[in-house]
Amino acid sequence: MSVVLIHTERFAEHQTPPGHPERPERAEVMDVVAARWRERGIDVVAPPEATREQLARVHDDAYLNVIEKTAGRAVKLDPDTYTSPESYEIALLAAGAAVDAVDRVMKGPHRAAMALVRPPGHHAERDRAMGFCLYNNVAVAAAHARANGVARIAVVDYDVHHGNGTQHIFESDPSVLYVSTHQYPYYPGTGAAREVGSEAGRGFTVNLPLEVGAVDDDYRLVFDEVVLPVLRQFAPELLIVSAGFDAHERDPLGGMRVTTPAFGAMTMALRAVAEEYCHGRIVCVTEGGYDLHALAASIDAVVQTLSDAASDPRWPSSTLASSRGRASADATKRALGPSWQFS
Ligand SMILES: [Zn+2]
């Protein structure tokens, strides 16, 4: 499959205080990865800035004004979330990259796109910056696709943290399915199995909370028993992935034990759904991932999987026994039994 990388070349200018996990070295890693794939013949393009209209589909006007006023200034927006003078522009490029990725896979010729962005987005609420995130890049991208006539969009979020912002923005909207695997209990505190959406969106929020220490087999189990069956019943026209790599075994923030090949396997499993229902259209947008080696290797695994010939997902075999996946899948099936069929 042909892949395009959307590369926010200026993202190192988004600076955080010394010792903060969202440090500029993450940008250097993404620069190296993008350069390597460009050498291998993959298209790498720079994104446009997101427009006010695109952002206002998921963020309140008053909040957009707050972020706009950080232009040229270093500001602390919440206990974890900072700007440098350039962050406003870089954040516009991050959201713009996610939007551009959607446009490119909808119009072709590329069917798969990966947006390499900083700052991340999935904690950003309609009216609040949170957890290193300014704009909710993936939510802006999903809303853009909806505004351009895509009827059903699935967002799959395998970042180690729950994407509270994305869940809340779409929780009453049945046209955007939100599926998350995450460490629980953990920051930001949301993401229990019983959180299934509200009103018309009831059943269209699917949370798979996993106890700290989950291994590849746990992820495989929840994918096979919940994530993939729900996606197939929902039959999305576009698949968007919140591709955080902080569930990696090397990550200093997360407490999970996911290996690099498992990120490839998850990507291949999601790609199969995209090929079955979405004409192959799949967009990955980076979120967290704070070990630099693990981040580079995991992004490589995703891009490789998207560009390879289709195959069955090659899950690594875990040497560690764990019942965390079973507990998570069972809790989620109980909560969502009225909405989806599970075997
Ligand atoms: Zn995260």
Side-chain angles (χ1 to χ4, degrees):
M1 195 154 71
S2 76
V3 185
V4 57
L5 293 185
I6 325 291
H7 177 222
T8 314
E9 287 161 10
R10 291 182 51 205
F11 43 25
E13 297 170 43
H14 168 59
Q15 298 270 355
T16 50
H20 191 279
E22 177 56 16
R23 59 197 204 271
E25 288 82 357
R26 294 186 72 230
E28 291 168 25
V29 164
M30 291 193 254
D31 284 340
V32 168
V33 170
R36 194 156 59 218
W37 283 100
R38 180 180 269 135
E39 273 172 31
R40 294 182 198 166
I42 297 277
D43 286 340
V44 181
V45 299
E49 291 182 352
T51 65
R52 175 101 184 185
E53 183 191 0
Q54 289 164 351
L55 298 170
R57 293 186 184 119
V58 303
H59 291 295
D60 292 347
D61 266 331
Y63 175 67
L64 294 179
N65 293 339
V66 167
I67 299 302
E68 208 173 299
K69 288 198 183 97
T70 70
R73 298 165 56 213
V75 178
K76 183 177 180 179
L77 290 163
D78 104 318
D80 303 307
T81 315
Y82 298 81
T83 68
S84 58
E86 295 80 13
S87 293
Y88 168 61
E89 280 177 55
I90 309 303
L92 287 177
L93 289 170
V99 167
D100 192 43
V102 166
D103 281 339
R104 286 176 185 274
V105 303
M106 294 310 294
K107 290 174 190 154
H110 300 289
R111 286 303 186 192
M114 181 156 198
L116 303 176
V117 306
R118 289 172 80 245
H122 70 158
H123 296 306
E125 299 274 1
R126 279 188 180 280
D127 59 354
R128 192 152 62 98
M130 199 175 144
F132 318 164
C133 304
L134 303 183
Y135 300 127
N136 194 315
N137 307 317
V138 159
V140 172
H144 176 72
R146 283 289 294 130
N148 284 278
V150 181
R152 286 179 312 284
I153 297 144
V155 176
V156 177
D157 183 338
Y158 57 63
D159 188 278
V160 81
H161 302 96
H162 180 244
N164 56 288
T166 315
Q167 171 173 308
H168 291 148
I169 286 165
F170 297 114
E171 66 188 349
S172 61
D173 182 351
S175 63
V176 181
L177 174 74
Y178 178 68
V179 183
S180 176
T181 58
H182 46 272
Q183 184 174 323
Y184 185 88
Y186 194 44
Y187 183 89
T190 49
R194 66 176 180 278
E195 296 167 28
V196 297
S198 58
E199 300 166 36
R202 193 169 177 80
F204 296 90
T205 295
V206 178
N207 281 308
L208 289 147
L210 289 154
E211 192 189 328
V212 64
V215 300
D216 294 346
D217 278 351
D218 294 310
Y219 280 78
R220 180 179 191 164
L221 189 149
V222 300
F223 260 64
D224 286 348
E225 294 199 10
V226 179
V227 175
L228 301 174
V230 170
L231 286 174
R232 292 201 166 94
Q233 289 167 66
F234 180 69
E237 294 179 0
L238 171 68
L239 189 51
I240 303 180
V241 183
S242 263
F245 301 105
D246 40 13
H248 196 283
E249 58 185 350
R250 291 181 56 136
D251 197 86
L253 263 59
M256 301 309 213
R257 293 180 281 181
V258 177
T259 64
T260 302
F263 286 105
M266 284 193 270
T267 304
M268 189 57 92
L270 296 173
R271 180 182 156 187
V273 171
E275 292 195 358
E276 197 173 345
Y277 297 98
C278 316
H279 303 286
R281 294 185 288 238
I282 181 168
V283 165
C284 298
V285 182
T286 56
E287 299 279 1
Y290 304 99
D291 178 273
L292 300 181
H293 292 287
L295 178 65
S298 303
I299 296 174
D300 275 342
V302 170
V303 178
Q304 184 73 56
T305 304
L306 292 175
S307 50
D308 275 350
S311 71
D312 287 333
R314 286 188 282 270
W315 287 93
S317 49
S318 289
T319 50
L320 303 158
S322 167
S323 57
R324 295 168 180 84
R326 167 55 53 214
S328 176
D330 287 352
T332 304
K333 287 179 192 178
R334 276 196 300 277
L336 285 163
S339 305
W340 307 101
Q341 292 194 320
F342 300 104
S343 53

